[in-house]
């Protein structure tokens, strides 16, 4: 079974993938800094009419819950928000783009959140994103 | 009130808005100064240009310090006093080096310090001009450290 990206179902499958990743459990074991939102920018050519967000409630190496919602409803409550266009998220999920390198190149943007904390937990962030590669994904293009 | 004093001191130069590393460095230093006002004394003594070349992602920036002001430029601007070349991971590690709290200096016992030291010995990180600018590098390390 595959899950369309982005969607509520994909986001839930992502939660399970995160919780099945022992490297994330280790790297994120001290994370107590709040929720992380991954925002896919609007792209009407593939039916994404508004910016959409996957909100991850991550805490001490566990993803406790997720929510898939319009980004404007999520940006306020998320502690950290990372934004990128659809094709860049696809590269990240496919493992072709390292999220830290993507941020350095200005492809992914941290639009909200405490940057020194993000840097301190760079391995945790990498493992969080690496978990996405384990989700059987059906891309819109 | 203090925020209004800190924030204007660190700026992106025109043309650096799309340089993600420049944005990260500016944001990191700005946030560090806000979180740890004791770093301000080092920041106000910093003067000179430091360029960073993240080779694997082909991103280059120059930090222009002018005693309490920092302008972060895209690319090499002017003649740098110090140039740091390395991979993106090594560049990130530079801000993660463990610090001895009482001295504010790098802790040679730290895991990240040892990684950076090994990378320097193997010339994966190259720092040009550091020996003649030790004070600049020491102060910069303190201002950039997230520890």
């Amino acid at each position: 079974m595959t899950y369309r990206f982005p969607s509520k179902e994909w986001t839930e499958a992502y939660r399970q993938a995160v919780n099945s990743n022992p490297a994330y459990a280790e790297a994120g074991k001290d994370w107590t800094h709040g929720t992380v939102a991954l925002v896919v920018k609007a792209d009407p050519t593939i039916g994404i009419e508004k910016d959409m967000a996957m909100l991850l409630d991550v805490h001490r190496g566990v993803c406790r819950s997720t929510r898939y919602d319009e980004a404007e409803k999520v940006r306020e409550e998320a502690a950290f928000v990372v934004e990128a266009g659809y094709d860049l998220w696809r590269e990240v999920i496919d493992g072709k783009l390292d999220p830290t390198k993507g941020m350095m190149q200005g492809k992914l943007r941290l639009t909200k959140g405490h940057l020194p904390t993000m840097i301190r937990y760079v391995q945790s962030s990498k493992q969080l994103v690496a978990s996405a590669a384990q989700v059987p994904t059906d891309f819109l293009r | 009130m203090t925020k209004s004093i800190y924030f204007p001191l660190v700026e992106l130069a025109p043309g650096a808005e799309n340089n993600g590393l420049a944005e990260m460095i500016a944001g990191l230093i700005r946030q560090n100064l806000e979180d740890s006002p004791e770093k301000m004394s080092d920041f106000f003594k910093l003067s000179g240009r430091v360029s960073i070349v993240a080779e694997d992602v082909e991103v280059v920036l120059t930090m222009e310090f002018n005693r309490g002001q920092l302008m972060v430029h895209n690319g090499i601007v002017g003649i740098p006093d110090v140039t740091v070349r390395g991979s993106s991971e090594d560049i990130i590690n530079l801000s993660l080096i463990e610090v001895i709290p009482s001295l504010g200096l790098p802790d040679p016992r730290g895991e990240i310090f040892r990684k950076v030291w090994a990378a320097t010995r193997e010339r994966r990180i190259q720092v040009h001009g550091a020996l003649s600018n030790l004070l600049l590098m020491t102060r910069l390390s303190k201002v950039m450290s997230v520890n």
Side-chain angles (χ1 to χ4, degrees):
Chain A
M1 183 177 182
T2 58
Y3 302 93
R4 195 188 71 219
F5 176 82
S7 65
K8 181 181 176 185
E9 292 73 25
W10 190 93
T11 308
E12 172 55 23
Y14 183 34
R15 184 184 71 80
Q16 293 174 20
V18 169
N19 289 337
S20 301
N21 181 354
Y24 176 71
E26 175 61 26
K29 68 183 179 192
D30 296 326
W31 178 268
T32 56
H33 304 281
T35 54
V36 177
L38 309 179
V39 172
V40 182
K41 304 294 285 181
D43 190 340
T45 62
I46 49 174
I48 303 174
E49 302 295 334
K50 296 178 177 177
D51 293 358
M52 297 302 295
M54 290 153 282
L55 182 68
L56 312 174
D57 178 7
V58 281
H59 186 75
R60 295 196 182 281
V62 174
C63 184
R64 300 187 292 196
S65 65
T66 57
R67 201 172 103 219
Y68 178 66
D69 209 338
E70 292 175 12
E72 67 177 12
K73 295 178 183 172
V74 169
R75 285 189 182 104
E76 185 83 2
E77 68 180 271
F80 293 83
V81 179
V82 181
E83 308 204 14
Y86 189 86
D87 295 334
L88 289 167
W89 280 122
R90 177 171 186 166
E91 283 185 42
V92 170
I93 293 167
D94 283 343
K96 293 176 182 166
L97 177 63
D98 177 284
T100 309
K101 291 179 182 179
M103 286 181 68
M104 286 184 168
Q105 292 170 315
K107 293 177 175 175
L108 276 69
R109 288 187 180 274
L110 179 71
T111 58
K112 183 182 177 187
H114 190 260
L115 188 57
T117 299
M118 197 58 134
I119 290 175
R120 213 174 287 135
Y121 285 89
V122 68
Q123 291 305 326
S124 168
S125 306
K126 282 186 180 182
Q127 287 303 326
L128 188 64
V129 173
S131 305
Q134 302 308 313
V135 180
T137 302
D138 179 20
F139 290 104
L140 297 170
R141 85 171 154 226
Chain B
M1 184 169 173
T2 45
K3 280 186 181 179
S4 63
I5 297 172
Y6 294 159
F7 281 121
L9 301 176
V10 181
E11 292 179 318
L12 281 178
E17 307 85 2
N18 294 321
N19 181 324
L21 182 57
E23 198 173 39
M24 286 172 77
I25 295 280
L28 175 67
I29 292 178
R30 194 183 289 130
Q31 190 73 59
N32 276 347
L33 294 175
E34 189 187 347
D35 293 348
S36 309
E38 69 276 10
K39 292 179 190 267
M40 286 298 279
S41 63
D42 285 302
F43 184 68
F44 270 93
K45 289 172 189 160
L46 274 167
S47 178
R49 292 171 191 256
V50 179
S51 293
I52 295 179
V53 181
E55 293 178 321
D56 54 338
V57 290
E58 299 179 334
V59 176
V60 182
L61 64 84
T62 301
M63 292 180 273
E64 181 187 4
F65 290 97
N66 188 13
R67 300 195 185 280
Q69 292 184 323
L70 167 61
M71 185 74 83
V72 185
H73 302 269
N74 181 39
I76 302 280
V77 173
I79 301 171
D81 299 288
V82 176
T83 302
V84 181
R85 304 181 74 94
S87 70
S88 52
E89 186 172 351
D90 290 329
I91 301 294
I92 288 285
N93 278 343
L94 289 174
S95 63
L96 288 168
I97 287 177
E98 298 84 354
V99 171
I100 302 169
S102 55
L103 301 174
L105 294 172
D107 184 350
R109 297 164 301 179
E111 183 186 343
I112 301 291
F113 180 91
R114 283 185 273 119
K115 276 187 187 174
V116 170
W117 182 246
T120 307
R121 274 188 319 192
E122 292 162 13
R123 297 189 60 77
R124 285 185 285 118
I125 298 179
Q126 296 180 43
V127 185
H128 303 282
L131 284 179
S132 48
N133 293 283
L134 277 177
L135 258 181
L136 170 67
M137 290 308 288
T138 304
R139 287 176 178 141
L140 179 61
S141 301
K142 290 184 190 176
V143 167
M144 282 187 65
S145 172
V146 299
N147 291 312

